[in-house]
Every structure is written in structure tokens, then in C-alpha cells.
Amino acid sequence: MNTIKLRNLFFITVCCAFFAFSSFAQKKEKLFNGKDLKGWKIYGTEKWYVEKGELVCESGPDKGYGYLATEKTYKNFELSVDFKQGANGNSGVFIRSNIAEGSTKISGWQVEVAPPNHDTGGIYESYGRGWLIQIPDDKEGFLKFGEWNTLKIRAEGSRVQTWLNGHEMVDLTDEKIGAGNGSIALQIHDGGGIKVNWKNLVIKPL
């Protein structure tokens, strides 16, 4: 093969790689713009606001459940989010969730965000089967309470995987989850005294 053909082949290979990478990168979507709650909907009376480029959830006077849900729905995806817990930090990230208008009754599956030794990264089904999978004691130490943590969730078909700060927490296959579809929703647990900061919410549909 002569030099010109080699150069042409190299050029084509580089272009293909570039366009493949660009296509991959374009699939990623920021769920939170760092400025306001555009693209989200509040359910309940608890507090959701933006402060210093971070999304904050905080218990209100009613001390009830509260949710902030995406207006768009996502079935198969990889989601990465950073969170920092204050107060008791009891919250969570719901996947394939649905909330009735004017209500805080949610259907879907929660990836737990909780105080130390309370199953952060585990999966709970609200108003259904309860805990589907909890976190063993030897994985409870991966949570850095009061500091920034990175939670990653991958949902594809019936399989859901979670990671906390790079450590795999859950690998679950469940037919009921596989049949679900809905929004991503952040939770404030009831009881009051809860505050959690969020940032870098990035999703990649699969």
C-alpha cells in the first residue's frame, strides 16, 4: 500500500473515531443547569432551591415527604450525581417513577441516600415490596457523611446497578423494575430536619 493510501486510511479512521466519540458525548444530558429548576417539577410542600450553583432540598414546616421530579421520562440510562448530606441526610433518587398530581404518593424504585449504616445505594420499592436489596455491613463505610459523594445508577431493562464513590453497591435483576418507566425524582424523607445538596446531575440514555 502506497503512502497516499495509508494517509487516506489514517484520515478516515481518525474521522470515524471522532464522529463516534462526538455521538457518544452528545448523548449525555445535564439534568440540573446550576441556575434554576427548569426541567423539574416539585411535589409536596418541602423546600427545593438553588444556592451557589447547587440544588438543595430541605425539610419545610410540614415535615412531610417531598419530591423533585424530571419533566422527561427515562427508562434505560446511566445517571451520575454528587450529593452532600447535612442534618440527617435522609433522601434518595427514584428511577422510573410516577407521582400523581397534587400528591406525594410515588410509584417507582428508590436508590437510597441515607445517614451512615442505613443502606445508601440499596434499592427500595415504595408502596410495594419495600426493600428489594440492602447494603451489607462491609460496604457501609463507603459513604462520606457531610462530604461530597458520587452516586452512579445504571438501569437497563430489568437490571439495575449502583455505585457509591466508585464502589459497586448493588447489582439487581427484577422483572417488575424492567416493566417500569417514568421520571428521575429526588426525595426528601418525612420527619423534618433534612438537608441534602446536589450537583453534577448527568444522565446518558442507553
Side-chain angles (χ1 to χ4, degrees):
M1 187 177 294
N2 61 39
T3 302
I4 294 176
K5 287 184 178 180
L6 283 172
R7 287 177 179 173
N8 289 341
L9 180 60
F10 176 77
F11 178 76
I12 292 170
T13 302
V14 169
C15 288
C16 289
F18 173 79
F19 286 117
F21 177 80
S22 297
S23 177
F24 175 80
Q26 286 172 357
K27 290 183 179 180
K28 290 186 177 181
E29 175 187 347
K30 288 185 179 180
L31 295 181
F32 171 55
N33 62 19
K35 299 176 182 179
D36 54 36
L37 301 182
K38 184 178 180 181
W40 297 83
K41 185 172 182 178
I42 295 174
Y43 294 85
T45 60
E46 307 310 289
K47 300 177 183 178
W48 300 92
Y49 57 94
V50 179
E51 184 175 72
K52 298 179 181 178
E54 298 170 9
L55 173 60
V56 184
C57 65
E58 189 174 358
S59 297
D62 292 342
K63 301 180 181 179
Y65 281 104
Y67 298 93
L68 184 71
T70 59
E71 294 175 350
K72 293 175 62 176
T73 61
Y74 300 91
K75 185 172 180 67
N76 297 312
F77 59 85
E78 284 184 355
L79 172 67
S80 180
V81 54
D82 295 340
F83 67 88
K84 181 170 67 174
Q85 300 155 297
N88 73 15
N90 200 323
S91 183
V93 180
F94 274 78
I95 63 171
R96 299 177 180 172
S97 68
N98 294 275
I99 309 171
E101 193 67 36
S103 168
T104 57
K105 186 173 182 179
I106 189 169
S107 64
W109 296 271
Q110 178 189 17
V111 178
E112 186 76 5
V113 171
N117 303 310
H118 283 80
D119 300 296
T120 294
I123 298 177
Y124 186 88
E125 183 180 278
S126 292
Y127 303 102
R129 294 171 290 173
W131 281 109
L132 301 185
I133 185 166
Q134 293 178 264
I135 301 303
D137 290 343
D138 62 346
K139 292 186 176 183
E140 286 286 6
F142 299 142
L143 176 70
K144 298 179 289 186
F145 191 79
E147 302 178 35
W148 285 106
N149 297 268
T150 298
L151 178 66
K152 179 181 174 183
I153 304 167
R154 180 182 174 93
E156 187 171 19
S158 300
R159 186 182 185 188
V160 180
Q161 297 166 274
T162 71
W163 293 263
L164 180 63
N165 296 324
H167 302 278
E168 185 176 78
M169 306 301 282
V170 162
D171 189 343
L172 174 69
T173 299
D174 182 85
E175 290 185 4
K176 189 175 178 181
I177 294 178
N181 190 26
S183 301
I184 305 295
L186 306 180
Q187 181 207 57
I188 299 175
H189 204 280
D190 70 348
I194 295 165
K195 185 176 182 180
V196 182
N197 291 46
W198 308 84
K199 65 180 182 179
N200 300 328
L201 290 90
V202 179
I203 196 165
K204 183 183 77 172
L206 299 176

